[in-house]
Amino acid sequence: MAFSSPISPSYSSHLSSKHVKANKTKFSTINKINSFPLIQRSPFLKVDFSSQWERGKSSKFSINAAVTSKEYSLDGALENTQLPKGDCWSVHKFGGTCVGTPERIGNVAEIITADQSERKLVVVSAMSKVTDMMYDLIYKAQSRDDSYITALDAVREKHKLAAVDLLDGDDLASFLSKLQDDVNNLKSMLRAIYIAGHATESFSDFVVGHGELWSAHLLSSAVRKNGVDCKWMDTREVLVVNPTSSNQVDPDYLMSEERLEKWYSKNPSKTIIATGFIATTPQNIPTTLKRDGSDFSAAIMGALLKAHQVTIWTDVDGVYSADPRKVSEAVILKTLSYQEAWEMSYFGANVLHPRTIVPVMQYDIPIVIKNIFNLSAPGTMICRSSGNEYEDGQKLESLVKGFATIDNVALVNVEGTGMAGVPGTASAIFSAVKDVGANVIMISQASSEHSVCFAVPEKEVKAVADVLESRFGQALSAGRLSQIAVIPNCSILAAVGQRMASTPGVSATLFTALAKANINIRAIAQGCTEYNITVVVKREDCVRALRAVHSKFYLSRTIIAVGIVGPGLIGGTLLDQLKDQTAVLKEKFNIDLRVMGITGTRTMLLSESGIDLSRWRQLLSVKGEMADMNKFVHHVRGNHFIPNTVMVDCTADSDVASHYFGWLHRGIHVVTPNKKANSGPLDQYLKLRALQRQSYTHYFYEATVGAGLPIISTLRGLLETGDKILRIEGIFSGTLSYIFNNFTGSRAFSQVVKEAKEAGYTEPDPRDDLSGTDVARKVIILARESGLELELSDIPVQSLVPEPLRSSASPEEFMQQLPQFDQQLAAQRQEAENTGEVLRYVGVVDVVSGKGTVELQKYSKEHPFAQLSGSDNIIAFTTERYAKQPLIVRGPGAGAEVTAGGVFSDILRLASYLGAPS
């Protein structure tokens, strides 16, 4: 059995000399017959197998090589044209997606034709999916799966259809003939692999490389069809690489340069279409450039030609600041330094393989990433950093250029007191890891040398742990090492930026952003170059962490998942306010508030992407499900693409308030007008506040005291700036403010209460307002904010509900009987009027004496408390700074609109703390 397959002329040097000599006469005859340049014709490799292979016996086979010259002048003499180098050359690389269909190959040909560069070298990959198909052929053949034959026919058909679509005439006939010859040769070689049940690496590389040969041939023919003279290059004749032990190759630039000059002397052209991915060893054995080999090919060719630019054409607009599939606000980076691109690609960003950057760095050749499907996009330029931080007086880009992640890693922690000060411990650890072929992605060592931790791919961690336990078994038994621990299910997040170096605060900003998103960091590493900061987090937190840090550095939208508890009067009004402001917040303030869930006592509505607030009432009614608080909270917080979550409790329910501690503990922020948590049992309040202060989780409750008025924030501002609170006194109830502002002249108290109820100022049961309990809760909140540790029971409250009516069966019955008790309050009013005073229902916090009261008091008509109208609240702060003239806050203190507005304000304050621009 015999078959032939194309191979480079240079391969002959390692073959039997007698075979070469035997064929010299034949080639001389061929060259004399051809009076025109040969169409890109490869030499042939001939492998003869004895019939013993068919009988299953081992046998030797010989490889014969025949060398044909590629291009000759009419008299058969070589054209000795010197290869020009420098800025006249531009190098383009088109990946498999770019040449995936005949139409796309035609588009590539047009781009090449339109390039105004004096000289062009184009590196092309195999058509989309072809490389995988070729590897599958080898797998099937060595697995003795007969379907490799039909699979190869499918590969041939793919290229045949592309050629028929693209070419015509002699170009088409030439390609189809060459394609069929190659397929026949491959079938013979795959048959040999099928029989042997094994394929060597060089045989595999040889088979796989045909995808690039065919696409280069197709593209060169398409370019010629556009009227541009070009040649195509089998880069196995030019690129020489030395395989290394790490499944990589090192280019031999000197030998490659010599071969390139020799190739060009025979094939002078201003446009060259070259195969990517494939090369040869110094021993002329076919090989590949391994991962991202076509990009590497382009960079090497750019360096050999000293080109002015290497353009990598792909299917994205450029390099993003983060994976756009995980961070929708990721931006295209205009420029990257070589070092930044190197770092980002190492950590898995879709940029370039790190080795691609090396060849061009030494000649300062920029690499441009362009989108073949969006020619108007400027792309990203990778070049030497200019060092200019500002352009037109403004910062060019963020200190951190980009963020990248690596998933599915595990941490290995080797710990023990016996490691400290012992030379060679780290060497022994990583020597053992090397022995099992594991890839160490990141290393972190405590300065005390007490522990060393490092990250490896999760699929390799068991082998690493086993070899370490075996190698250090004696040290573990003796106690010199305390443990070798594996922490699975981790991800690595890297922040990369050349301007990070020597800039204070970058690490602090990064870690603060992670802390505010409630992300726990398992390990940290930062090189002395400061080009990257690497952290290890739980895999489940990786996307939230990525979004949190990207938002902080790029001021992209601060996205907050919102859960609304209690869609009643206040909650419903808040939802309507959110609906009206959502678009404005996104456009002007980069705040994206997504209501992921709404729950009442019986029904809840959940959404994966955010509820349509224009019809939330209808959706809650039609699509609502049975309320379940645990399920509700898990859903709202469960979207890993949203780093921050807030629960907004718009109820007055103590049971809902009891969840606050658990929510804060899980990293869920809380905003509420519900007074029950802060006025409840003192020990629970202190525990809640201690947790909130110790974490980066926020708890905002401005609306618990003054609805939309800044009462809590004013008090905190005074305390935080060193002022001392002496007394807080105020009218805290909008309902009671309205009643006593209108309880004048001859009007009966019951009549005014009835008006207030009909106007919607009171609770459904007016006794809830008249009892003074609500005011007492506000007083206890302010007392605790001022540092007093008081229980609600410590506050004496004067109730305005007559004793006999406190047990009335219904609000209606209460209102019917209230007029019977008007006389008592009428007498008090008359007494006040006789002395030029008015009645006001107030709450008082006397910080000096450590007491609080809620009662009806008299004030002169000149007093600010007597000047109120409507349902206004007023609070006076008497402090050491404001001793003579109290600091007064006044405004509407009741109503769904202002209370919901106060809650909304707290949500926006939370967004500001989480990174939104203020």
Side-chain angles (χ1 to χ4, degrees), residues 87 299 302-303 306-310 337-339 357-367 381-386:
D87 289 347
K306 311 295 190 296
H308 76 88
Q309 180 174 296
V310 174
S337 71
Y338 293 124
Q339 291 82 0
I357 301 165
V358 177
V360 297
M361 279 183 65
Q362 58 185 324
Y363 299 110
D364 284 345
I365 301 170
I367 299 176
M381 177 175 286
I382 299 170
C383 56
R384 189 170 300 281
S385 175
S386 65

Side-chain angles (χ1 to χ4, degrees), residues 2-266:
F3 65 87
S4 299
S5 183
I7 195 166
S8 169
S10 56
Y11 299 164
S12 60
S13 62
H14 79 292
L15 304 175
S16 173
S17 60
K18 66 178 182 180
H19 296 137
V20 176
K21 291 176 182 177
N23 285 298
K24 278 186 175 179
T25 305
K26 173 183 175 182
F27 297 147
S28 177
T29 304
I30 291 174
N31 292 333
K32 288 178 181 177
I33 292 173
N34 285 281
S35 59
F36 54 88
L38 294 173
I39 294 175
Q40 202 67 20
R41 185 181 299 168
S42 292
F44 290 88
L45 170 73
K46 185 175 182 180
V47 186
D48 294 318
F49 295 89
S50 75
S51 60
Q52 289 179 331
W53 279 98
E54 302 295 337
R55 296 193 296 272
K57 298 179 181 179
S58 61
S59 175
K60 295 181 180 180
F61 61 87
S62 62
I63 302 178
N64 299 320
V67 182
T68 63
S69 183
K70 286 205 168 181
E71 186 171 318
Y72 285 82
S73 61
L74 295 176
D75 60 2
L78 286 174
E79 292 185 9
N80 294 313
T81 306
Q82 186 174 1
L83 172 66
K85 296 181 182 179
D87 289 347
C88 60
W89 286 98
S90 67
V91 175
H92 297 264
K93 177 265 175 178
F94 294 92
T97 307
C98 301
V99 292
T101 65
E103 181 184 7
R104 291 181 182 177
I105 294 174
N107 291 339
V108 169
E110 290 176 5
I111 291 173
I112 296 169
T113 304
D115 182 3
Q116 297 301 309
S117 301
E118 182 182 345
R119 297 177 181 274
K120 293 162 281 191
L121 184 139
V122 179
V123 175
V124 62
S125 298
M127 292 179 70
S128 181
K129 308 297 183 185
V130 167
T131 299
D132 290 339
M133 295 169 76
M134 300 301 282
Y135 275 119
D136 188 55
L137 291 176
I138 298 166
Y139 174 77
K140 282 183 165 64
Q142 63 186 4
S143 300
R144 296 197 170 103
D145 180 350
D146 291 330
S147 65
Y148 77 85
I149 299 173
T150 55
L152 180 56
D153 288 338
V155 174
R156 179 195 60 193
E157 192 65 17
K158 181 181 179 76
H159 289 86
K160 177 182 176 181
L161 292 175
V164 170
D165 222 352
L166 279 170
L167 311 177
D168 50 38
D170 291 343
D171 281 342
L172 176 61
S174 171
F175 178 82
L176 293 179
S177 174
K178 178 69 167 61
L179 175 67
Q180 188 59 53
D181 286 346
D182 288 347
V183 168
N184 290 338
N185 295 334
L186 286 171
K187 280 185 178 178
S188 299
M189 180 171 280
L190 290 167
R191 176 63 179 170
I193 294 172
Y194 178 94
I195 295 170
H198 174 70
T200 64
E201 183 179 356
S202 59
F203 266 46
S204 296
D205 288 345
F206 181 74
V207 171
V208 171
H210 278 73
E212 275 70 20
L213 292 169
W214 295 327
S215 61
H217 194 163
L218 273 174
L219 180 58
S220 65
S221 298
V223 171
R224 279 197 299 273
K225 190 176 178 182
N226 285 350
V228 177
D229 180 49
C230 73
K231 301 291 191 301
W232 77 270
M233 172 195 292
D234 179 349
T235 48
R236 293 177 300 187
E237 300 173 21
V238 173
L239 293 187
V240 181
V241 297
N242 292 292
T244 69
S245 58
S246 55
N247 195 33
Q248 293 182 342
V249 294
D250 291 331
D252 186 327
Y253 290 100
L254 289 177
M255 188 176 293
S256 297
E257 187 172 21
E258 290 175 4
R259 291 195 179 186
L260 176 60
E261 291 173 350
K262 183 178 180 181
W263 183 93
Y264 188 84
S265 70
K266 303 172 185 177

Side-chain angles (χ1 to χ4, degrees), residues 504-615:
V506 176
S507 297
T509 303
L510 179 77
F511 298 143
T512 300
L514 292 173
K516 285 184 176 181
N518 202 44
I519 307 294
N520 184 39
I521 298 172
R522 307 303 301 265
I524 302 168
Q526 178 175 353
C528 63
T529 61
E530 301 181 66
Y531 287 169
N532 89 66
I533 303 171
T534 307
V535 298
V536 179
V537 299
K538 292 180 182 177
R539 185 191 304 162
E540 65 190 52
D541 292 336
C542 184
V543 176
R544 286 198 303 119
L546 180 61
R547 294 190 68 99
V549 295
H550 188 276
S551 174
K552 188 66 177 176
F553 282 95
Y554 273 88
L555 292 182
S556 56
R557 283 181 186 161
T558 299
I559 305 178
I560 304 176
V562 182
I564 303 290
V565 182
L569 183 60
I570 294 173
T573 304
L574 174 63
L575 284 164
D576 292 337
Q577 291 177 353
L578 287 169
K579 174 199 70 177
D580 295 337
Q581 284 296 111
T582 297
V584 175
L585 290 173
K586 285 182 181 179
E587 181 179 348
K588 292 188 176 181
F589 301 100
N590 276 344
I591 299 173
D592 187 353
L593 301 176
R594 298 189 189 178
V595 179
M596 310 298 287
I598 302 170
T599 184
T601 54
R602 296 184 180 86
T603 309
M604 68 180 180
L605 175 65
L606 306 177
S607 171
E608 293 294 336
S609 57
I611 296 169
D612 180 358
L613 296 184
S614 64
R615 54 194 190 101

Side-chain angles (χ1 to χ4, degrees), residues 862-900:
E862 290 74 31
H863 194 281
F865 286 14
Q867 308 300 316
L868 295 185
S869 61
S871 61
D872 280 3
N873 283 6
I874 187 169
I875 295 89
F877 295 93
T878 302
T879 72
E880 287 187 344
R881 290 180 193 157
Y882 298 93
K884 295 181 180 180
Q885 187 78 21
L887 174 64
I888 291 178
V889 178
R890 171 181 171 175
E897 288 289 337
V898 293
T899 303

